[in-house]
Amino acid sequence: MSGTPAACGVPLERAFAALRTLEPGCHACYVYDLDALAARARRFRAAFAALDPLTAFALKANGLPAVLERLRGAGVGAEAGSLGELELAAACGCAAEMRVLNGNGRTPEEADWAAREGVHSVNADHVAELDLLERAAAAHARPLRVALRVNPGIETPGHRYVATGGEEAKFGVSPGEALAAWASRGRWPHLALDGIHLHVGSQLTDPAPLERALEAALGMAEESARRGAPLGLINLGGGFGIAYDGGAEFPLEAWARRLAERVAGGGLAWVLEPGRWLVGPVGVLVAEVLWVKRRDGRRFVVLAAGMNDLLRPALYHARHAIEPLAPRAGASEPAAVVGPLCESADVFAEDAMLPPLEPGDLVAIRDAGAYGAAMASNYNGRGRLAELVASGGKLTRARAGETAADLVARRRNDVLIG
Ligand code: LLP
């Protein structure tokens, strides 16, 4: 959506004004361009078409039903990391064979749901989990296909909180454990334990770690076949990075070509789990400027959105491009763009070059479609923001903003329980 401050032909200022007629007290909102989302989904699927993978959108990036439904319409399934995400995927019309259950804290309820309602596959995080999945599959007399998550010891660049494939990471089993489990898969007669899952990190802009993950997966598949337990499924996870604040984007088509060449004719089933790449660039956080304060020559621009609305800058030192919707005339100068919460980490940019800004102006925080609203909280007694979607030049409020009254209404649910 970079360039014009519009979503799908709807100017963002108009979108915000329209929301204000519904929610007069609102000072910020998320806006997603669903047509751009569908175009990215088509581009992703076209790039990997030679492999014919299941593209399972990582719901944790954005769980708005309007987003999930649009992706489903573009042939994209869902990667769910919890019972809530499984239920959400199903409620949005995602069919059993399009759902992948992931996560490293499997509960009996998730295992039971997967066996009862059906999934394409389950990513199991460790060997003992297989016993739980086996019991659930046996109880429903329904086989479950399982990919064992392997920690390949692959380091990735970027913030350590989004690195998942290094030896320190909590995810997955060692290659040796995986090979032993596949070789003794007769222990779990109701599971089709023929898959490997790797997800080495997020916001990758260089395909090298994915290349290493692929080679690790192929090497293990070969070794497992040698031990009499051939694999049928490789799930390479997500991680495809986007161009935040002028940075590079993951070379999607080049990597897809390389992957297809490397594995042509292998007869394997494939799963990919993109999250950020699909939805990140199509979302924007629109926020009103509340105050402009100068102290010792430094300009602080206080927005009506804060770290409870978009946590990425505070948690990962992530930087999102920020621009006024209607830039005022005048020279750009540095500004600390901050939120209104009582936390020193509540900062979107330390010194963004921005033109003059006045209270009441609107700014767009770009590339906020992934891990934005999905990670929002009520911290500091703040309601989560409204989410708008634009499609075909039409604007819909897809989720209402929470008000102070909403927070007060659910302030207590006392039940005497002991
Ligand atoms: N598959 C698995 C198993 C995952 O854990 C994740 C994300 C994905 C797929 C999707 O990854 P993506 O394609 O979006 O990189 N909150 C952080 C990102 C955390 C990613 C967690 N796992 C952020 O805002 O940067």
Side-chain angles (χ1 to χ4, degrees), residues 194-232:
D194 73 337
I196 179 169
H197 175 229
L198 294 107
H199 169 77
V200 291
S202 198
Q203 184 49 20
L204 305 173
T205 52
D206 174 356
L210 284 183
E211 176 87 40
R212 286 199 289 279
L214 172 67
E215 290 309 321
L218 293 174
M220 275 183 274
E222 212 175 293
E223 177 58 24
S224 193
R226 205 171 305 129
R227 298 185 187 189
L231 300 189

PDB file of all heavy atoms in Angstrom, residues 194-232:
ATOM      1  N   ASP A 194       4.898 -39.209   8.825  1.00  0.00           N
ATOM      2  CA  ASP A 194       5.791 -39.240   7.658  1.00  0.00           C
ATOM      3  C   ASP A 194       6.226 -37.837   7.236  1.00  0.00           C
ATOM      4  O   ASP A 194       6.620 -37.620   6.101  1.00  0.00           O
ATOM      5  CB  ASP A 194       5.101 -39.950   6.482  1.00  0.00           C
ATOM      6  CG  ASP A 194       4.012 -39.101   5.853  1.00  0.00           C
ATOM      7  OD1 ASP A 194       3.486 -38.185   6.533  1.00  0.00           O
ATOM      8  OD2 ASP A 194       3.694 -39.331   4.668  1.00  0.00           O
ATOM      9  N   GLY A 195       6.157 -36.893   8.186  1.00  0.00           N
ATOM     10  CA  GLY A 195       6.486 -35.520   7.801  1.00  0.00           C
ATOM     11  C   GLY A 195       7.578 -34.902   8.647  1.00  0.00           C
ATOM     12  O   GLY A 195       7.851 -35.328   9.776  1.00  0.00           O
ATOM     13  N   ILE A 196       8.193 -33.868   8.068  1.00  0.00           N
ATOM     14  CA  ILE A 196       9.170 -33.061   8.790  1.00  0.00           C
ATOM     15  C   ILE A 196       8.725 -31.611   8.703  1.00  0.00           C
ATOM     16  O   ILE A 196       8.235 -31.162   7.653  1.00  0.00           O
ATOM     17  CB  ILE A 196      10.601 -33.250   8.227  1.00  0.00           C
ATOM     18  CG1 ILE A 196      11.602 -32.382   8.993  1.00  0.00           C
ATOM     19  CG2 ILE A 196      10.683 -32.945   6.737  1.00  0.00           C
ATOM     20  CD1 ILE A 196      13.052 -32.717   8.682  1.00  0.00           C
ATOM     21  N   HIS A 197       8.842 -30.889   9.806  1.00  0.00           N
ATOM     22  CA  HIS A 197       8.477 -29.476   9.838  1.00  0.00           C
ATOM     23  C   HIS A 197       9.674 -28.671  10.308  1.00  0.00           C
ATOM     24  O   HIS A 197      10.302 -29.012  11.316  1.00  0.00           O
ATOM     25  CB  HIS A 197       7.297 -29.257  10.799  1.00  0.00           C
ATOM     26  CG  HIS A 197       6.914 -27.815  10.990  1.00  0.00           C
ATOM     27  ND1 HIS A 197       6.721 -27.260  12.235  1.00  0.00           N
ATOM     28  CD2 HIS A 197       6.691 -26.819  10.100  1.00  0.00           C
ATOM     29  CE1 HIS A 197       6.377 -25.979  12.092  1.00  0.00           C
ATOM     30  NE2 HIS A 197       6.354 -25.694  10.808  1.00  0.00           N
ATOM     31  N   LEU A 198       9.978 -27.609   9.565  1.00  0.00           N
ATOM     32  CA  LEU A 198      11.017 -26.681   9.991  1.00  0.00           C
ATOM     33  C   LEU A 198      10.486 -25.267   9.828  1.00  0.00           C
ATOM     34  O   LEU A 198       9.820 -24.955   8.832  1.00  0.00           O
ATOM     35  CB  LEU A 198      12.281 -26.802   9.126  1.00  0.00           C
ATOM     36  CG  LEU A 198      13.056 -28.117   9.210  1.00  0.00           C
ATOM     37  CD1 LEU A 198      12.840 -28.915   7.949  1.00  0.00           C
ATOM     38  CD2 LEU A 198      14.532 -27.842   9.403  1.00  0.00           C
ATOM     39  N   HIS A 199      10.753 -24.429  10.801  1.00  0.00           N
ATOM     40  CA  HIS A 199      10.450 -22.996  10.655  1.00  0.00           C
ATOM     41  C   HIS A 199      11.594 -22.302  11.381  1.00  0.00           C
ATOM     42  O   HIS A 199      11.649 -22.308  12.602  1.00  0.00           O
ATOM     43  CB  HIS A 199       9.095 -22.650  11.283  1.00  0.00           C
ATOM     44  CG  HIS A 199       8.866 -21.175  11.386  1.00  0.00           C
ATOM     45  ND1 HIS A 199       8.512 -20.398  10.304  1.00  0.00           N
ATOM     46  CD2 HIS A 199       8.969 -20.328  12.437  1.00  0.00           C
ATOM     47  CE1 HIS A 199       8.395 -19.140  10.697  1.00  0.00           C
ATOM     48  NE2 HIS A 199       8.671 -19.066  11.985  1.00  0.00           N
ATOM     49  N   VAL A 200      12.531 -21.742  10.613  1.00  0.00           N
ATOM     50  CA  VAL A 200      13.791 -21.329  11.247  1.00  0.00           C
ATOM     51  C   VAL A 200      13.801 -19.880  11.723  1.00  0.00           C
ATOM     52  O   VAL A 200      14.671 -19.481  12.492  1.00  0.00           O
ATOM     53  CB  VAL A 200      15.014 -21.603  10.334  1.00  0.00           C
ATOM     54  CG1 VAL A 200      15.235 -23.095  10.205  1.00  0.00           C
ATOM     55  CG2 VAL A 200      14.871 -20.945   8.964  1.00  0.00           C
ATOM     56  N   GLY A 201      12.843 -19.075  11.275  1.00  0.00           N
ATOM     57  CA  GLY A 201      12.837 -17.685  11.730  1.00  0.00           C
ATOM     58  C   GLY A 201      11.858 -16.869  10.931  1.00  0.00           C
ATOM     59  O   GLY A 201      11.249 -17.358   9.982  1.00  0.00           O
ATOM     60  N   SER A 202      11.713 -15.619  11.335  1.00  0.00           N
ATOM     61  CA  SER A 202      10.736 -14.741  10.700  1.00  0.00           C
ATOM     62  C   SER A 202      11.455 -13.513  10.150  1.00  0.00           C
ATOM     63  O   SER A 202      12.591 -13.223  10.530  1.00  0.00           O
ATOM     64  CB  SER A 202       9.702 -14.327  11.749  1.00  0.00           C
ATOM     65  OG  SER A 202       8.537 -13.837  11.146  1.00  0.00           O
ATOM     66  N   GLN A 203      10.764 -12.797   9.260  1.00  0.00           N
ATOM     67  CA  GLN A 203      11.327 -11.590   8.646  1.00  0.00           C
ATOM     68  C   GLN A 203      12.702 -11.864   8.039  1.00  0.00           C
ATOM     69  O   GLN A 203      13.667 -11.119   8.239  1.00  0.00           O
ATOM     70  CB  GLN A 203      11.348 -10.424   9.664  1.00  0.00           C
ATOM     71  CG  GLN A 203      11.826  -9.064   9.140  1.00  0.00           C
ATOM     72  CD  GLN A 203      11.149  -8.622   7.833  1.00  0.00           C
ATOM     73  OE1 GLN A 203      10.092  -9.096   7.460  1.00  0.00           O
ATOM     74  NE2 GLN A 203      11.759  -7.713   7.103  1.00  0.00           N
ATOM     75  N   LEU A 204      12.793 -12.960   7.273  1.00  0.00           N
ATOM     76  CA  LEU A 204      14.027 -13.259   6.546  1.00  0.00           C
ATOM     77  C   LEU A 204      13.986 -12.511   5.222  1.00  0.00           C
ATOM     78  O   LEU A 204      12.983 -12.544   4.516  1.00  0.00           O
ATOM     79  CB  LEU A 204      14.138 -14.761   6.260  1.00  0.00           C
ATOM     80  CG  LEU A 204      14.046 -15.692   7.469  1.00  0.00           C
ATOM     81  CD1 LEU A 204      14.004 -17.145   7.019  1.00  0.00           C
ATOM     82  CD2 LEU A 204      15.232 -15.450   8.404  1.00  0.00           C
ATOM     83  N   THR A 205      15.056 -11.821   4.903  1.00  0.00           N
ATOM     84  CA  THR A 205      15.103 -11.160   3.591  1.00  0.00           C
ATOM     85  C   THR A 205      16.140 -11.831   2.697  1.00  0.00           C
ATOM     86  O   THR A 205      16.194 -11.586   1.511  1.00  0.00           O
ATOM     87  CB  THR A 205      15.415  -9.655   3.739  1.00  0.00           C
ATOM     88  OG1 THR A 205      16.579  -9.506   4.535  1.00  0.00           O
ATOM     89  CG2 THR A 205      14.260  -8.932   4.409  1.00  0.00           C
ATOM     90  N   ASP A 206      16.938 -12.703   3.290  1.00  0.00           N
ATOM     91  CA  ASP A 206      17.943 -13.471   2.550  1.00  0.00           C
ATOM     92  C   ASP A 206      17.490 -14.937   2.605  1.00  0.00           C
ATOM     93  O   ASP A 206      17.220 -15.454   3.692  1.00  0.00           O
ATOM     94  CB  ASP A 206      19.287 -13.269   3.261  1.00  0.00           C
ATOM     95  CG  ASP A 206      20.397 -14.130   2.688  1.00  0.00           C
ATOM     96  OD1 ASP A 206      20.125 -14.960   1.780  1.00  0.00           O
ATOM     97  OD2 ASP A 206      21.540 -13.989   3.152  1.00  0.00           O
ATOM     98  N   PRO A 207      17.417 -15.604   1.455  1.00  0.00           N
ATOM     99  CA  PRO A 207      16.933 -17.001   1.485  1.00  0.00           C
ATOM    100  C   PRO A 207      17.935 -18.009   2.039  1.00  0.00           C
ATOM    101  O   PRO A 207      17.593 -19.183   2.187  1.00  0.00           O
ATOM    102  CB  PRO A 207      16.605 -17.286   0.015  1.00  0.00           C
ATOM    103  CG  PRO A 207      17.358 -16.287  -0.769  1.00  0.00           C
ATOM    104  CD  PRO A 207      17.624 -15.108   0.100  1.00  0.00           C
ATOM    105  N   ALA A 208      19.154 -17.569   2.372  1.00  0.00           N
ATOM    106  CA  ALA A 208      20.193 -18.542   2.779  1.00  0.00           C
ATOM    107  C   ALA A 208      19.747 -19.448   3.934  1.00  0.00           C
ATOM    108  O   ALA A 208      19.941 -20.668   3.865  1.00  0.00           O
ATOM    109  CB  ALA A 208      21.498 -17.820   3.120  1.00  0.00           C
ATOM    110  N   PRO A 209      19.119 -18.921   5.002  1.00  0.00           N
ATOM    111  CA  PRO A 209      18.705 -19.845   6.084  1.00  0.00           C
ATOM    112  C   PRO A 209      17.641 -20.843   5.614  1.00  0.00           C
ATOM    113  O   PRO A 209      17.638 -21.995   6.052  1.00  0.00           O
ATOM    114  CB  PRO A 209      18.119 -18.910   7.156  1.00  0.00           C
ATOM    115  CG  PRO A 209      18.668 -17.560   6.856  1.00  0.00           C
ATOM    116  CD  PRO A 209      18.871 -17.511   5.374  1.00  0.00           C
ATOM    117  N   LEU A 210      16.771 -20.407   4.697  1.00  0.00           N
ATOM    118  CA  LEU A 210      15.751 -21.335   4.174  1.00  0.00           C
ATOM    119  C   LEU A 210      16.407 -22.395   3.300  1.00  0.00           C
ATOM    120  O   LEU A 210      15.988 -23.559   3.280  1.00  0.00           O
ATOM    121  CB  LEU A 210      14.696 -20.570   3.381  1.00  0.00           C
ATOM    122  CG  LEU A 210      13.677 -19.781   4.202  1.00  0.00           C
ATOM    123  CD1 LEU A 210      12.657 -19.124   3.291  1.00  0.00           C
ATOM    124  CD2 LEU A 210      12.962 -20.705   5.189  1.00  0.00           C
ATOM    125  N   GLU A 211      17.427 -21.972   2.579  1.00  0.00           N
ATOM    126  CA  GLU A 211      18.189 -22.912   1.748  1.00  0.00           C
ATOM    127  C   GLU A 211      18.817 -23.988   2.642  1.00  0.00           C
ATOM    128  O   GLU A 211      18.739 -25.184   2.345  1.00  0.00           O
ATOM    129  CB  GLU A 211      19.278 -22.102   1.018  1.00  0.00           C
ATOM    130  CG  GLU A 211      20.230 -22.903   0.178  1.00  0.00           C
ATOM    131  CD  GLU A 211      19.688 -23.123  -1.228  1.00  0.00           C
ATOM    132  OE1 GLU A 211      19.105 -22.179  -1.788  1.00  0.00           O
ATOM    133  OE2 GLU A 211      19.855 -24.245  -1.739  1.00  0.00           O
ATOM    134  N   ARG A 212      19.394 -23.534   3.760  1.00  0.00           N
ATOM    135  CA  ARG A 212      20.009 -24.499   4.688  1.00  0.00           C
ATOM    136  C   ARG A 212      18.946 -25.409   5.304  1.00  0.00           C
ATOM    137  O   ARG A 212      19.161 -26.602   5.479  1.00  0.00           O
ATOM    138  CB  ARG A 212      20.797 -23.760   5.782  1.00  0.00           C
ATOM    139  CG  ARG A 212      22.105 -23.173   5.269  1.00  0.00           C
ATOM    140  CD  ARG A 212      23.077 -22.876   6.403  1.00  0.00           C
ATOM    141  NE  ARG A 212      22.653 -21.746   7.201  1.00  0.00           N
ATOM    142  CZ  ARG A 212      22.862 -20.467   6.857  1.00  0.00           C
ATOM    143  NH1 ARG A 212      23.470 -20.176   5.715  1.00  0.00           N
ATOM    144  NH2 ARG A 212      22.438 -19.484   7.629  1.00  0.00           N
ATOM    145  N   ALA A 213      17.781 -24.825   5.607  1.00  0.00           N
ATOM    146  CA  ALA A 213      16.690 -25.626   6.185  1.00  0.00           C
ATOM    147  C   ALA A 213      16.231 -26.676   5.178  1.00  0.00           C
ATOM    148  O   ALA A 213      15.988 -27.833   5.531  1.00  0.00           O
ATOM    149  CB  ALA A 213      15.525 -24.719   6.578  1.00  0.00           C
ATOM    150  N   LEU A 214      16.126 -26.274   3.922  1.00  0.00           N
ATOM    151  CA  LEU A 214      15.714 -27.219   2.876  1.00  0.00           C
ATOM    152  C   LEU A 214      16.710 -28.368   2.765  1.00  0.00           C
ATOM    153  O   LEU A 214      16.319 -29.547   2.719  1.00  0.00           O
ATOM    154  CB  LEU A 214      15.603 -26.483   1.531  1.00  0.00           C
ATOM    155  CG  LEU A 214      15.366 -27.377   0.320  1.00  0.00           C
ATOM    156  CD1 LEU A 214      13.988 -28.025   0.396  1.00  0.00           C
ATOM    157  CD2 LEU A 214      15.507 -26.586  -0.987  1.00  0.00           C
ATOM    158  N   GLU A 215      17.985 -28.021   2.740  1.00  0.00           N
ATOM    159  CA  GLU A 215      19.000 -29.076   2.615  1.00  0.00           C
ATOM    160  C   GLU A 215      18.954 -30.008   3.831  1.00  0.00           C
ATOM    161  O   GLU A 215      19.101 -31.222   3.695  1.00  0.00           O
ATOM    162  CB  GLU A 215      20.401 -28.473   2.431  1.00  0.00           C
ATOM    163  CG  GLU A 215      20.599 -27.801   1.069  1.00  0.00           C
ATOM    164  CD  GLU A 215      20.209 -28.690  -0.117  1.00  0.00           C
ATOM    165  OE1 GLU A 215      20.491 -29.907  -0.077  1.00  0.00           O
ATOM    166  OE2 GLU A 215      19.602 -28.172  -1.083  1.00  0.00           O
ATOM    167  N   ALA A 216      18.732 -29.417   5.007  1.00  0.00           N
ATOM    168  CA  ALA A 216      18.629 -30.249   6.215  1.00  0.00           C
ATOM    169  C   ALA A 216      17.442 -31.193   6.090  1.00  0.00           C
ATOM    170  O   ALA A 216      17.547 -32.390   6.396  1.00  0.00           O
ATOM    171  CB  ALA A 216      18.480 -29.354   7.447  1.00  0.00           C
ATOM    172  N   ALA A 217      16.312 -30.677   5.610  1.00  0.00           N
ATOM    173  CA  ALA A 217      15.104 -31.513   5.488  1.00  0.00           C
ATOM    174  C   ALA A 217      15.324 -32.631   4.473  1.00  0.00           C
ATOM    175  O   ALA A 217      14.985 -33.793   4.732  1.00  0.00           O
ATOM    176  CB  ALA A 217      13.916 -30.643   5.076  1.00  0.00           C
ATOM    177  N   LEU A 218      15.910 -32.280   3.334  1.00  0.00           N
ATOM    178  CA  LEU A 218      16.123 -33.295   2.291  1.00  0.00           C
ATOM    179  C   LEU A 218      17.118 -34.350   2.770  1.00  0.00           C
ATOM    180  O   LEU A 218      16.948 -35.549   2.515  1.00  0.00           O
ATOM    181  CB  LEU A 218      16.603 -32.635   1.000  1.00  0.00           C
ATOM    182  CG  LEU A 218      15.571 -31.724   0.314  1.00  0.00           C
ATOM    183  CD1 LEU A 218      16.207 -31.006  -0.884  1.00  0.00           C
ATOM    184  CD2 LEU A 218      14.337 -32.505  -0.133  1.00  0.00           C
ATOM    185  N   GLY A 219      18.132 -33.895   3.473  1.00  0.00           N
ATOM    186  CA  GLY A 219      19.135 -34.831   4.001  1.00  0.00           C
ATOM    187  C   GLY A 219      18.498 -35.804   4.986  1.00  0.00           C
ATOM    188  O   GLY A 219      18.760 -37.007   4.956  1.00  0.00           O
ATOM    189  N   MET A 220      17.637 -35.276   5.841  1.00  0.00           N
ATOM    190  CA  MET A 220      16.997 -36.151   6.832  1.00  0.00           C
ATOM    191  C   MET A 220      16.006 -37.099   6.158  1.00  0.00           C
ATOM    192  O   MET A 220      15.876 -38.260   6.564  1.00  0.00           O
ATOM    193  CB  MET A 220      16.315 -35.322   7.916  1.00  0.00           C
ATOM    194  CG  MET A 220      17.286 -34.923   9.007  1.00  0.00           C
ATOM    195  SD  MET A 220      16.488 -34.019  10.326  1.00  0.00           S
ATOM    196  CE  MET A 220      16.561 -32.396   9.651  1.00  0.00           C
ATOM    197  N   ALA A 221      15.306 -36.596   5.136  1.00  0.00           N
ATOM    198  CA  ALA A 221      14.357 -37.455   4.419  1.00  0.00           C
ATOM    199  C   ALA A 221      15.106 -38.624   3.778  1.00  0.00           C
ATOM    200  O   ALA A 221      14.651 -39.776   3.814  1.00  0.00           O
ATOM    201  CB  ALA A 221      13.600 -36.635   3.368  1.00  0.00           C
ATOM    202  N   GLU A 222      16.268 -38.319   3.224  1.00  0.00           N
ATOM    203  CA  GLU A 222      17.071 -39.361   2.582  1.00  0.00           C
ATOM    204  C   GLU A 222      17.536 -40.394   3.619  1.00  0.00           C
ATOM    205  O   GLU A 222      17.434 -41.607   3.398  1.00  0.00           O
ATOM    206  CB  GLU A 222      18.298 -38.675   1.962  1.00  0.00           C
ATOM    207  CG  GLU A 222      18.812 -39.331   0.708  1.00  0.00           C
ATOM    208  CD  GLU A 222      19.938 -38.493   0.131  1.00  0.00           C
ATOM    209  OE1 GLU A 222      19.666 -37.349  -0.317  1.00  0.00           O
ATOM    210  OE2 GLU A 222      21.090 -38.955   0.181  1.00  0.00           O
ATOM    211  N   GLU A 223      18.001 -39.877   4.750  1.00  0.00           N
ATOM    212  CA  GLU A 223      18.499 -40.771   5.801  1.00  0.00           C
ATOM    213  C   GLU A 223      17.356 -41.628   6.361  1.00  0.00           C
ATOM    214  O   GLU A 223      17.525 -42.824   6.622  1.00  0.00           O
ATOM    215  CB  GLU A 223      19.163 -39.924   6.906  1.00  0.00           C
ATOM    216  CG  GLU A 223      19.670 -40.695   8.108  1.00  0.00           C
ATOM    217  CD  GLU A 223      20.696 -41.779   7.763  1.00  0.00           C
ATOM    218  OE1 GLU A 223      21.364 -41.665   6.712  1.00  0.00           O
ATOM    219  OE2 GLU A 223      20.795 -42.769   8.540  1.00  0.00           O
ATOM    220  N   SER A 224      16.184 -41.017   6.501  1.00  0.00           N
ATOM    221  CA  SER A 224      15.052 -41.773   7.045  1.00  0.00           C
ATOM    222  C   SER A 224      14.647 -42.885   6.077  1.00  0.00           C
ATOM    223  O   SER A 224      14.317 -44.001   6.494  1.00  0.00           O
ATOM    224  CB  SER A 224      13.876 -40.827   7.313  1.00  0.00           C
ATOM    225  OG  SER A 224      12.913 -41.472   8.107  1.00  0.00           O
ATOM    226  N   ALA A 225      14.669 -42.567   4.775  1.00  0.00           N
ATOM    227  CA  ALA A 225      14.337 -43.587   3.769  1.00  0.00           C
ATOM    228  C   ALA A 225      15.333 -44.735   3.861  1.00  0.00           C
ATOM    229  O   ALA A 225      14.965 -45.919   3.797  1.00  0.00           O
ATOM    230  CB  ALA A 225      14.345 -42.972   2.375  1.00  0.00           C
ATOM    231  N   ARG A 226      16.616 -44.377   4.052  1.00  0.00           N
ATOM    232  CA  ARG A 226      17.655 -45.399   4.176  1.00  0.00           C
ATOM    233  C   ARG A 226      17.370 -46.311   5.379  1.00  0.00           C
ATOM    234  O   ARG A 226      17.663 -47.495   5.358  1.00  0.00           O
ATOM    235  CB  ARG A 226      19.021 -44.722   4.329  1.00  0.00           C
ATOM    236  CG  ARG A 226      20.173 -45.579   3.876  1.00  0.00           C
ATOM    237  CD  ARG A 226      21.500 -44.824   3.830  1.00  0.00           C
ATOM    238  NE  ARG A 226      21.449 -43.611   3.020  1.00  0.00           N
ATOM    239  CZ  ARG A 226      21.855 -42.397   3.423  1.00  0.00           C
ATOM    240  NH1 ARG A 226      22.332 -42.225   4.633  1.00  0.00           N
ATOM    241  NH2 ARG A 226      21.782 -41.360   2.611  1.00  0.00           N
ATOM    242  N   ARG A 227      16.756 -45.704   6.424  1.00  0.00           N
ATOM    243  CA  ARG A 227      16.445 -46.510   7.621  1.00  0.00           C
ATOM    244  C   ARG A 227      15.073 -47.192   7.507  1.00  0.00           C
ATOM    245  O   ARG A 227      14.521 -47.657   8.499  1.00  0.00           O
ATOM    246  CB  ARG A 227      16.468 -45.630   8.858  1.00  0.00           C
ATOM    247  CG  ARG A 227      17.826 -45.013   9.134  1.00  0.00           C
ATOM    248  CD  ARG A 227      17.802 -44.253  10.443  1.00  0.00           C
ATOM    249  NE  ARG A 227      19.035 -43.514  10.645  1.00  0.00           N
ATOM    250  CZ  ARG A 227      19.355 -42.902  11.775  1.00  0.00           C
ATOM    251  NH1 ARG A 227      18.519 -42.960  12.803  1.00  0.00           N
ATOM    252  NH2 ARG A 227      20.478 -42.245  11.889  1.00  0.00           N
ATOM    253  N   GLY A 228      14.512 -47.167   6.333  1.00  0.00           N
ATOM    254  CA  GLY A 228      13.260 -47.896   6.106  1.00  0.00           C
ATOM    255  C   GLY A 228      12.000 -47.109   6.413  1.00  0.00           C
ATOM    256  O   GLY A 228      10.913 -47.680   6.486  1.00  0.00           O
ATOM    257  N   ALA A 229      12.136 -45.798   6.632  1.00  0.00           N
ATOM    258  CA  ALA A 229      10.956 -44.989   6.958  1.00  0.00           C
ATOM    259  C   ALA A 229      10.906 -43.756   6.044  1.00  0.00           C
ATOM    260  O   ALA A 229      11.219 -42.641   6.469  1.00  0.00           O
ATOM    261  CB  ALA A 229      11.001 -44.559   8.422  1.00  0.00           C
ATOM    262  N   PRO A 230      10.534 -43.956   4.788  1.00  0.00           N
ATOM    263  CA  PRO A 230      10.524 -42.813   3.862  1.00  0.00           C
ATOM    264  C   PRO A 230       9.525 -41.743   4.300  1.00  0.00           C
ATOM    265  O   PRO A 230       8.470 -42.058   4.854  1.00  0.00           O
ATOM    266  CB  PRO A 230      10.103 -43.434   2.523  1.00  0.00           C
ATOM    267  CG  PRO A 230       9.558 -44.775   2.841  1.00  0.00           C
ATOM    268  CD  PRO A 230      10.095 -45.199   4.170  1.00  0.00           C
ATOM    269  N   LEU A 231       9.872 -40.476   4.064  1.00  0.00           N
ATOM    270  CA  LEU A 231       8.970 -39.373   4.401  1.00  0.00           C
ATOM    271  C   LEU A 231       8.128 -39.001   3.189  1.00  0.00           C
ATOM    272  O   LEU A 231       8.540 -39.215   2.040  1.00  0.00           O
ATOM    273  CB  LEU A 231       9.770 -38.144   4.863  1.00  0.00           C
ATOM    274  CG  LEU A 231      10.657 -38.318   6.097  1.00  0.00           C
ATOM    275  CD1 LEU A 231      11.203 -36.967   6.554  1.00  0.00           C
ATOM    276  CD2 LEU A 231       9.893 -38.991   7.234  1.00  0.00           C
ATOM    277  N   GLY A 232       6.942 -38.448   3.462  1.00  0.00           N
ATOM    278  CA  GLY A 232       6.062 -38.045   2.359  1.00  0.00           C
ATOM    279  C   GLY A 232       5.716 -36.575   2.381  1.00  0.00           C
ATOM    280  O   GLY A 232       5.090 -36.068   1.440  1.00  0.00           O
TER     281      GLY A 232
END
